[in-house]
Amino acid sequence: MSSQIIAILVLGAMFVVATVLPINIGILALVASFLVGTFVFGLEDKEIFEGFPVSLFITVVGVTYLFSVAKLNGTIDLLVQGGIRLVRGRAILVPWVLFAVAAALTALGTFTPAAVALLVPVGMSFAFTYRISPLMIGMMVICGAHAGAFSPMAVSGALVYGIVAKSGLTISHAALFFASMGFNLLLAAGTYVMLRRRGEESFVEYPDDGTPEPDTSAPSGGGVAVATRPRTSVVTWRQRATLAALVVLVVGALAFHLQIGFLALAAGAVLALLDRENLGKAVEGISWPTILLVAGMVTYVGVLEHSGTIDWVAHGAVGLGAPLLVALVLCVIVGVTSAFASSTAILTATIPMAIPLLLTDSLPVVGVVAAMAISTTIVDVSPFSTNGALVLANARGVDRTRFYRQVISYTCVIVGLGPVAAWAVLVLPGGF
């Protein structure tokens, strides 16, 4: 058995183990980097460590630290409440407000699961109070989070841009961002049209489980009352400082091309020092599991690249047939796999495999990368993923079994049609 096949089997085994057991795949990947790199490929420690993503590590730590500070001082709640007030009494617009807020949060650097975890409870409270389809609201929150996930400041965006740039290819940041934004906007619109009138049938008699009933009173004219968060018009000086820091972060990263991780760390540190009460808690908000996952997977992929395994697999895939067919197969594979595993890990492992195909100049680089990125993320509506599980867990007043089946049915449609649609829209036109 060749060393390349062993490395690929180890990669597959990691995904299986991490799916079946509650262990961070990043830990498995770091261990595998040492074992496979040392005993299969004979690499030195220095060569193994070359794959560790130092820049991405700083970016993830800095961004999550800054948003942890922002959450502790109430700025994130302030942004959410401001978005919710935009509906001005029209409850049916709540899903679009949540979509927009989720997109803005992830575009500014919030991790997709973090944005979903923040907004889904609010959305489900609205759904229960006003009998709006909880499936529609939950899925539109996820669509919104994915819509902003490939901005230059987002971790997923930085990851994809880094992988592509490392290969010597170039990809427009704006093209990838707007491709994901547009695709998810269309998906959200379709979800809204198909499910907006299915609210009443989703609910059963609200169980007496000790959870306080929502305040169903509304202002005159059918306005929306948010019972879960008190309304307040007072903006503290710490929140103003945080909003200013976010503006500085955006300007520094986009206009002056400064390293966003260091900018975020500096902003977070200053804001934390201004809030002594929560100073020690801010570090707890850093997304260490995600950092471990990304660092481990990128390091292992670095071992595969150093050993020539990525080129070996990719050239084999290219030799299967027409480039268009290969691109379609890649989109479907990453979509199906990501429904059960980490989309970040899937992106890290599979995009490098498409690089040799892109180097042939037979397909549009941005189209293939965008199609694979979209295929990998849109299936996170699955109840086996963090985002889908959050929707399932926060639904109120529903028959759990029936709602689970609704989520599964929606997921099957997305997994079955989403990757094919992404390929058809983004890759197929440039393949002729």
Side-chain angles (χ1 to χ4, degrees), residues 404-427:
Y404 172 78
R405 290 172 181 167
Q406 291 175 350
V407 175
I408 284 290
S409 298
Y410 184 91
T411 301
C412 289
V413 173
I414 298 301
V415 173
L417 300 180
V420 177
W423 171 83
V425 172
L426 299 168
V427 181

Side-chain angles (χ1 to χ4, degrees), residues 7 107 118 146 150 200 242 248 257 278 319 330 353 362 398 407 415 424 431:
L118 178 69
H146 290 155
F150 290 98
E200 290 291 343
T242 304
V248 171
H257 306 288
N278 295 313
L330 287 174
M353 296 182 183
S362 57
V398 299
V407 175
V415 173

Side-chain angles (χ1 to χ4, degrees), residues 67 74-84 101 105 108 243 246:
F67 274 86
T75 304
I76 296 298
D77 286 341
L78 183 70
L79 292 174
V80 173
Q81 290 177 29
I84 294 298
V101 174
L105 289 176
L108 289 173
L243 293 173
L246 293 177

Side-chain angles (χ1 to χ4, degrees), residues 130 177 248:
Y130 295 98
F177 173 68
V248 171

Side-chain angles (χ1 to χ4, degrees), residues 247-323:
V247 172
V248 171
L249 184 70
V250 172
V251 173
L254 296 183
F256 298 97
H257 306 288
L258 299 176
Q259 215 287 336
I260 189 171
F262 286 118
L263 283 177
L265 276 173
V270 171
L271 293 171
L273 289 172
L274 296 176
D275 187 5
R276 299 294 184 87
E277 181 181 350
N278 295 313
L279 181 60
K281 300 178 183 178
V283 176
E284 299 174 4
I286 297 176
S287 184
W288 296 114
T290 303
I291 293 169
L292 184 59
L293 183 152
V294 172
M297 285 302 302
V298 172
T299 302
Y300 187 75
V301 170
V303 170
L304 297 184
E305 290 178 338
H306 198 282
S307 64
T309 302
I310 296 295
D311 288 339
W312 178 76
V313 172
H315 283 99
V318 172
L320 289 176

